[in-house]
Amino acid sequence: MTCGLVVLSLVLVVTGVRGFSLDHDGASQSHWEITEEAVLRATAEACRAEAREEGRIFTLPATLTPQSLLEACEAKQSAGDFAKNKFQIKSSNALVNIDYALVPSRHFDNEEFEQGKKIITDGLLTVKVNIKNENYGAARRGLGEILHTIQDFYSHSNWVEMGNDHPFTNLIQGGDSLEYSTAKHRPTCRNCSDDCTGNILEDILSERLLTSGYFSPRSSNIKPTGKCSHGGNKDTTTHTDATGGINKDSVNSSHGHLHERAARVATEASIELLDDVHAAVGHKNFLRMMGVGSGKAIIFVIDTTQSMVSDIVLIRLVTIMTIQQLEGTENEPSVYILVPFNDPGFGPVTKTTNGNVFISAVTNLTANGGGDLPEKSLSDYNVAPIGSELFVFTDAPPKDTHLKNTILALIERTQCVVNFVISNNALKEPIYTDLAKASGGQVVTLKKSDVFSALTLLLDSSNSVTLLQAARKSSDNFMFSVAETETDLRLFITGTTDFTLVSPSGVVQESSTGPLTTSKQTVGDLLLVRLTNETGQWNIRLRSTNSYTLKITVRSPVDFFFSVMQQSELRSTGLAPETNKPSAGQNATLVVVLFGSDSATLKEAYVVYSSGAGELKGNITGHEDNEYLVHFDNLPSEEISVWVKLQDGSSLTKTTLENFQRQALTSIQPSSFSIASSIPSASLEPGSTFFTNLTISTEGTEGNFTIQVSNNQNLPSTIFPAIVNVMRGRSAIAAPEIFIPNTTASGTEIIVVVEVGDAKDFNYKRLTLTAITPVTDIHAPVFSLLSPDPNCTDTCTSTYQLSILVTNNTVLNRIFVREGNGILTFTSTKNVLSYNDSCCSPTVEIVAVDDAGNDEQ
């Protein structure tokens, strides 16, 4: 509510090169671009609101980019998390064109307005519940999906044709129906072919009746006579009465002349939706969900069997010390997660943003039970958010070895890093080594007294970037380059201490002592060597006849991540992120995302064979701001990682560009078969059953594949059939089911992993669901102005006062000022708020939020 005063809207402009678009031609605004702009602008508003609340100055950048935004938010250290989380929202948006391609309500097609609105309002509820429960990944996925639907409303309906240049706020408000949709058999369009500018019937527009185009990529005619079509070469309804189309998806669409206007209103509607979430959950929770203002998530997975008594004491000490050092700093973790495991069970899981709560949970751990080997050391890694770092503490081999592929799928999907601290010198466990190598983590095997030193070393290294990493079984040479602005050059080596270093200036050093070494530290079988910071190309030769690993890191804000992309076939010709493994023996397109500098550019990209057998150079086919498309021919079937060369001049006073190299931490292994699925809904009521159909196909290996399904809540699950036979070029169907008991708490995140494979190969599908209890309160609080409208003089010496009655069906969660500089007081016994301010600040926006997440402003 604005109480009769003028509301000043924050207007931000995003600029940048439009070299390509992931789901459209470069001349048009795509879902990808609209979502990028909306996220930047909404996040800027959250940072501004938080700064205002804390009494800090927030200066809006003249040009809003991810880097300039984070600098304004005083959160430059969050560049990686913000880039990955923003990418997840955009990815979920793009995937609606694949996962829900033929669901009309997801796109406001076929005049399914009520159904489309329900998707948005139900989705908003789920997003808010997930944020409240700190399920930020699920919240981002849900946000991306409903942003796609609300954006499609402005492109697929006649809202813009009716002369509207503002969002239809009704779409995000619960309760109210859409009153102006047309009857199912009332004609809405006339025939058109090349020029469809005026094909919507005049009576539809003059009566301000909502309509949208029908869409079907199949030959069957689903459109009633006289209705509008979506239009375009993917839509078969465009050839039946009424011919033509009305979509505004691009400048080349049937109503492409209105594309820019529709995109502009869709952007404002997306910001309105994000602002609604922000108002409901508060500044800090919204920014945490976006990954702004804190470091990566830290996860401790701790063996609590009897033999770990001394380990737990040392872990407790280093936990207290580390959290006290990180609290309030730029590297303070975004969330702390504790997963204790014993035999036969594991948990309960502690997830918190409060360091003291985490310290308390670790302090309360006790060691007991066990008595036999192995232990359940792999049983609950599904809690890992994107980009998080896991530390697993145990002295035993894993009992739950069947979960290896599930964890590999998790690593590929979330790009989390898994480290193992094994307090048993005699234990050499291949599964731990394989998982650490796939994630870019470390395996440290040591005696129990070294646990404190190992954890301290690993935590201190967790905010570095990787120049190179490798695992070999024989001697090999490695070259790496160091830039002038990179600091704290480190080598991490396991399996050998026999190596030769050659610096850029030609200085040679044998092993770990000499003129190139500033210090060294040995913890168990891990050797850390700190080197002098010399710019240029280095060379290191490691000598061994046994397995060893090498990892080279530096401190630098500039880094990257990547995603394998898939083609959207049914609704558009664009790209969306692949949700399982890429196909072996097939061509692949990757998107490489740079962060940490607005001026960094990608010069070269390679797929590197993890075995050391070779590499593939990619072809950079286009870029848009900090996102690059890279094409690779014929991916191998073995494990691979991505290595890039970058240039950047932003941090130098001189004009020459600086060269960087980076290697992705996460490795992936292409598969010979693929899995596709459609998800009826990502939220389910307790007491219901989730089910979907999986389509399994292969272009390589033929035969019988075993299917298994698991979930992080140990809910009852089945899959039928459990074994499928798939021939090359053919497909088979399997149907997993998960029962959600009535006792499941609302907001519970259910992560379902379906694995398909044989002895040599596997693929996966990872689905995230949320248990949601239906909310009966769908009405926002109501403001009633008790005082007269303020009457300010022309001078700043006068003040005004507002008195407002707030009524609501349920408990009010919070009331705050989003725009204004005055003083707000609230008398809860009378439900009356008072606001006092100077007439120099005639703009005020007050927001009231109830327990159900409904808000009035």
Side-chain angles (χ1 to χ4, degrees):
M1 176 180 176
T2 60
C3 301
L5 302 178
V6 177
V7 176
L8 175 65
S9 296
L10 183 66
V11 179
L12 311 178
V13 178
V14 178
T15 63
V17 177
R18 301 297 182 191
F20 78 94
S21 173
L22 290 179
D23 55 359
H24 262 314
D25 59 273
S28 305
Q29 290 285 301
S30 66
H31 283 286
W32 198 266
E33 294 160 317
I34 289 170
T35 305
E36 170 82 11
E37 181 174 350
V39 168
L40 289 178
R41 289 170 59 177
T43 305
E45 170 58 23
C47 285
R48 186 192 68 84
E50 183 181 55
R52 175 187 170 282
E53 196 172 84
E54 296 175 354
R56 295 184 286 108
I57 295 175
F58 176 84
T59 303
L60 183 68
T63 301
L64 192 63
T65 66
Q67 193 64 18
S68 69
L69 168 63
L70 292 176
E71 290 174 1
C73 295
E74 300 180 5
K76 290 190 294 183
Q77 78 285 351
S78 302
D81 286 339
F82 182 55
K84 292 172 183 175
N85 293 342
K86 176 162 58 70
F87 188 85
Q88 185 183 21
I89 294 172
K90 295 193 296 184
S91 297
S92 299
N93 187 316
L95 282 167
V96 172
N97 272 347
I98 295 177
D99 293 341
Y100 305 105
L102 299 180
V103 181
S105 54
R106 290 279 178 175
H107 311 274
F108 279 105
D109 291 337
N110 303 10
E111 298 185 311
E112 292 196 3
F113 291 108
E114 293 294 348
Q115 300 93 320
K117 174 178 175 172
K118 189 174 189 303
I119 284 171
I120 293 170
T121 54
D122 286 355
L124 268 173
L125 169 64
T126 303
V127 166
K128 293 170 184 177
V129 170
N130 274 318
I131 294 175
K132 182 179 179 181
N133 286 277
E134 298 179 358
N135 299 328
Y136 297 126
R140 290 188 293 268
R141 283 186 290 272
L143 262 181
E145 290 181 357
I146 59 177
L147 282 170
H148 185 109
T149 299
I150 203 167
Q151 289 161 9
D152 269 355
F153 173 81
Y154 301 97
S155 178
H156 296 183
S157 79
N158 63 329
W159 179 257
V160 171
E161 283 84 349
M162 288 193 291
N164 295 304
D165 58 4
H166 56 275
F168 189 20
T169 303
N170 182 290
L171 292 177
I172 65 172
Q173 295 175 338
D176 297 331
S177 62
L178 302 179
E179 299 175 359
Y180 304 110
S181 56
T182 57
K184 279 296 180 183
H185 296 289
R186 178 171 177 173
T188 54
C189 271
R190 61 173 56 89
N191 291 331
C192 64
S193 54
D194 295 334
D195 182 7
C196 289
T197 302
N199 63 331
I200 300 178
L201 298 179
E202 287 76 9
D203 59 320
I204 299 298
L205 298 177
S206 63
E207 294 178 41
R208 302 192 64 76
L209 298 176
L210 278 174
T211 188
S212 66
Y214 280 69
F215 174 85
S216 176
R218 297 166 179 163
S219 57
S220 57
N221 184 17
I222 62 169
K223 185 181 72 172
T225 301
K227 288 294 186 181
C228 302
S229 290
H230 175 82
N233 58 14
K234 300 280 185 178
D235 178 23
T236 61
T237 76
T238 191
H239 306 297
T240 61
D241 186 10
T243 60
I246 66 168
N247 87 81
K248 296 160 283 293
D249 288 345
S250 77
V251 294
N252 298 316
S253 297
S254 305
H255 278 203
H257 62 289
L258 294 173
H259 166 75
E260 290 186 7
R261 185 173 169 185
R264 184 169 61 252
V265 182
T267 302
E268 296 304 321
S270 299
I271 295 167
E272 184 180 64
L273 186 149
L274 291 168
D275 284 346
D276 179 81
V277 174
H278 171 203
V281 304
H283 318 316
K284 291 188 182 297
N285 284 333
F286 184 84
L287 291 173
R288 282 186 182 276
M289 187 262 298
M290 290 296 181
V292 175
S294 54
K296 66 180 67 175
I298 297 295
I299 304 168
F300 283 5
V301 181
I302 302 177
D303 184 343
T304 60
T305 55
Q306 185 63 46
S307 60
M308 292 289 289
V309 170
S310 61
D311 301 63
I312 291 174
V313 171
L314 295 173
I315 294 168
R316 184 181 302 144
L317 291 174
V318 77
T319 299
I320 295 171
M321 179 188 72
T322 301
I323 290 178
Q324 289 175 343
Q325 289 177 345
L326 291 176
E327 191 171 14
T329 71
E330 63 180 22
N331 292 320
E332 181 179 3
S334 58
V335 64
Y336 303 92
I337 301 175
L338 174 65
V339 185
F341 67 90
N342 204 285
D343 194 359
F346 60 89
V349 175
T350 300
K351 180 166 64 172
T352 179
T353 57
N354 187 318
N356 291 327
V357 172
F358 186 71
I359 289 174
S360 178
V362 174
T363 301
N364 290 332
L365 290 178
T366 57
N368 56 73
D372 64 333
L373 297 178
E375 311 292 1
K376 284 194 171 182
S377 55
L378 307 178
S379 285
D380 202 4
Y381 294 10
N382 266 320
V383 295
I386 287 178
S388 56
E389 188 142 11
L390 287 86
F391 299 89
V392 183
F393 303 90
T394 187
D395 59 0
K399 175 180 290 185
D400 38 11
T401 56
H402 64 283
L403 294 176
K404 177 183 177 181
N405 286 345
T406 301
I407 299 173
L408 287 172
L410 169 77
I411 290 168
E412 292 183 8
R413 188 84 173 114
T414 65
Q415 299 189 5
C416 62
V417 177
V418 185
N419 303 282
F420 292 90
V421 180
I422 313 299
S423 56
N424 180 348
N425 280 329
L427 179 62
K428 301 296 180 184
E429 177 49 61
I431 287 183
Y432 295 155
T433 302
D434 290 345
L435 295 177
K437 183 179 73 170
S439 70
Q442 301 279 0
V443 176
V444 187
T445 304
L446 39 69
K447 55 187 179 181
K448 291 185 176 294
S449 58
D450 286 334
V451 168
F452 183 94
S453 298
L455 182 53
T456 303
L457 184 155
L458 292 173
L459 285 170
D460 180 56
S461 304
S462 64
N463 291 304
S464 299
V465 299
T466 302
L467 302 183
L468 183 148
Q469 62 180 2
R472 298 286 189 271
K473 296 181 179 180
S474 60
S475 301
D476 207 345
N477 282 315
F478 304 92
M479 291 187 295
F480 60 96
S481 61
V482 178
E484 182 179 337
T485 53
E486 295 175 331
T487 61
D488 196 15
L489 176 59
R490 301 186 184 194
L491 307 179
F492 296 86
I493 302 172
T494 64
T496 183
T497 57
D498 187 6
F499 60 87
T500 301
L501 268 172
V502 182
S503 74
S505 61
V507 177
V508 179
Q509 174 184 309
E510 297 292 335
S511 296
S512 58
T513 56
L516 304 179
T517 302
T518 61
S519 69
K520 68 173 183 175
Q521 181 180 358
T522 301
V523 180
D525 63 348
L526 175 64
L527 172 64
L528 165 61
V529 182
R530 293 181 173 88
L531 301 179
T532 58
N533 275 85
E534 186 175 337
T535 303
Q537 184 169 286
W538 290 69
N539 182 279
I540 182 171
R541 177 169 179 79
L542 275 76
R543 293 178 289 271
S544 179
T545 57
N546 299 314
S547 298
Y548 63 88
T549 65
L550 169 67
K551 184 176 182 178
I552 304 171
T553 68
V554 293
R555 302 279 186 182
S556 172
V558 182
D559 205 359
F560 84 104
F561 65 91
F562 73 94
S563 176
V564 182
M565 309 301 286
Q566 60 179 312
Q567 190 74 41
S568 173
E569 299 289 353
L570 290 177
R571 295 199 69 96
S572 71
T573 56
L575 296 169
E578 183 63 79
T579 56
N580 50 35
K581 289 174 174 287
S583 298
Q586 303 293 314
N587 298 340
T589 297
L590 273 60
V591 61
V592 173
V593 182
L594 311 185
F595 59 84
S597 170
D598 281 335
S599 60
T601 57
L602 177 67
K603 306 308 293 183
E604 297 178 21
Y606 297 84
V607 161
V608 181
Y609 294 30
S610 297
S611 65
E615 63 186 25
L616 293 175
K617 185 176 182 179
N619 178 28
I620 301 174
T621 59
H623 78 95
E624 182 176 348
D625 298 331
N626 62 338
E627 297 175 342
Y628 292 76
L629 287 179
V630 186
H631 177 82
F632 291 92
D633 292 330
N634 194 20
L635 286 185
S637 58
E638 68 170 273
E639 186 180 76
I640 55 177
S641 64
V642 177
W643 184 85
V644 298
K645 290 183 180 180
L646 313 175
Q647 279 189 341
D648 187 30
S650 62
S651 55
L652 300 177
T653 56
K654 54 189 180 182
T655 58
T656 55
L657 292 174
E658 199 166 18
N659 295 311
F660 298 84
Q661 74 173 63
R662 297 286 184 267
Q663 186 165 344
L665 290 173
T666 305
S667 300
I668 56 175
Q669 184 157 358
S671 175
S672 63
F673 54 91
S674 62
I675 310 171
S677 69
S678 60
I679 309 170
S681 174
S683 58
L684 298 98
E685 292 184 28
S688 64
T689 299
F690 167 81
F691 62 90
T692 186
N693 285 329
L694 301 175
T695 303
I696 302 155
S697 56
T698 180
E699 295 297 333
T701 304
E702 299 181 335
N704 292 327
F705 299 122
T706 300
I707 309 174
Q708 58 183 20
V709 58
S710 61
N711 66 85
N712 64 324
Q713 301 294 337
N714 291 324
L715 302 178
S717 62
T718 60
I719 190 160
F720 182 82
I723 298 176
V724 294
N725 182 271
V726 186
M727 305 298 293
R728 186 178 292 109
R730 303 287 184 88
S731 61
I733 302 294
E737 290 189 0
I738 308 288
F739 177 66
I740 319 296
N742 284 315
T743 54
T744 306
S746 184
T748 299
E749 184 179 41
I750 303 164
I751 300 172
V752 180
V753 178
V754 181
E755 297 174 39
V756 183
D758 56 18
K760 298 179 180 180
D761 193 5
F762 88 100
N763 210 330
Y764 64 89
K765 179 66 70 172
R766 188 171 187 260
L767 309 173
T768 302
L769 315 172
T770 305
I772 294 289
T773 301
V775 175
T776 55
D777 177 19
I778 58 176
H779 297 288
V782 176
F783 284 176
S784 302
L785 188 62
L786 300 177
S787 59
D789 285 341
N791 184 18
C792 283
T793 65
D794 293 334
T795 68
C796 287
T797 57
S798 58
T799 61
Y800 66 89
Q801 187 268 338
L802 299 174
S803 181
I804 301 171
L805 175 67
V806 187
T807 55
N808 190 60
N809 294 331
T810 57
V811 177
L812 286 171
N813 185 282
R814 64 194 187 100
I815 299 176
F816 64 97
V817 177
R818 184 151 70 181
E819 185 74 28
N821 300 309
I823 298 174
L824 175 72
T825 58
F826 180 65
T827 306
S828 59
T829 55
K830 297 181 179 179
N831 282 345
V832 173
L833 66 85
S834 297
Y835 180 80
N836 296 275
D837 203 351
S838 164
C839 286
C840 281
S841 302
T843 301
V844 58
E845 187 174 2
I846 301 170
V847 181
V849 185
D850 65 17
D851 267 355
N854 304 305
D855 63 85
E856 165 71 344
Q857 36 191 299

